[in-house]
Amino acid sequence: MPRYAPLLTGLLLLSLGAPTSMLSAQRARRVKPPAGVQVSTSANLEIYVESEGTKPYPGGRTLHVVKASVVVLKTAKHGRQRKIERAEAINADLLNPDMWRIGDFDGDGFDDYRVVKEISASGCRTWWTWTYLPDRERFTLASTIAWQTDAAGKPVRNCR
């Protein structure tokens, strides 16, 4: 038995009883959520919004402006990522979770999201869809995926 064995055993026992403040640097860092209200979530995405105010819009309508933080919980290359955007909508309160949807809208197996851009006088909603590009680890506006719903939430061909 080496002559330093009792000393090493003692140091090992002392390190096991070390205060947690000494071990905190080794623990995984907990990520603080973005500011604002969480309006939508899935296994892969979280969306938070923070109001930046409302403004009058022509025709007696109201423009709602928010700062939206879209958090991708796990990407292949970089782990957790956050996209911050300014979102605007006419007559649609974007702090309301009903104005946001998460789902695989383009059929590629990755979560995408939608946000209402306008609510007409008849209650018809025009949605914009953002699709996730996994090879670039970012979202892009899917202008080819137009989606409109009537006041009851049923898909329609054209809003009137």
Side-chain angles (χ1 to χ4, degrees):
M1 183 163 183
R3 76 179 210 210
Y4 297 109
L7 178 62
L8 291 175
T9 305
L11 287 173
L12 179 63
L13 290 173
L14 279 174
S15 68
L16 291 176
T20 56
S21 62
M22 293 178 68
L23 301 175
S24 63
Q26 297 173 355
R27 291 185 184 166
R29 197 176 98 207
R30 192 166 194 190
V31 180
K32 182 179 169 186
V37 178
Q38 185 176 20
V39 291
S40 195
T41 186
S42 74
N44 303 313
L45 292 179
E46 293 177 348
I47 301 174
Y48 298 84
V49 294
E50 188 175 11
S51 178
E52 291 191 348
T54 59
K55 299 175 185 175
Y57 199 77
R61 300 179 292 174
T62 304
L63 178 69
H64 295 265
V65 181
V66 297
K67 180 172 96 174
S69 299
V70 180
V71 179
V72 181
L73 300 176
K74 179 128 177 75
T75 65
K77 298 177 193 170
H78 299 100
R80 184 180 173 103
Q81 287 189 329
R82 183 182 340 188
K83 171 193 171 198
I84 298 174
E85 71 170 288
R86 175 186 163 110
E88 299 178 351
I90 300 169
N91 285 348
D93 180 8
L94 296 179
L95 295 175
N96 182 347
D98 292 337
M99 302 298 134
W100 299 85
R101 296 280 187 265
I102 295 177
D104 181 13
F105 303 121
D106 58 355
D108 64 356
F110 294 94
D111 279 349
D112 310 308
Y113 70 95
R114 285 187 173 141
V115 59
V116 172
K117 288 315 244 181
E118 180 177 6
I119 298 178
S120 69
S122 66
C124 188
R125 295 177 181 189
T126 301
W127 299 73
W128 278 11
T129 304
W130 292 85
T131 58
Y132 186 69
L133 304 174
D135 55 331
R136 295 187 179 171
E137 293 189 347
R138 68 180 181 92
F139 287 91
T140 186
L141 179 63
S143 58
T144 57
I145 303 176
W147 201 53
Q148 298 177 336
T149 58
D150 63 11
K154 295 179 184 174
V156 294
R157 188 171 283 224
N158 293 312
C159 275
R160 295 189 179 160

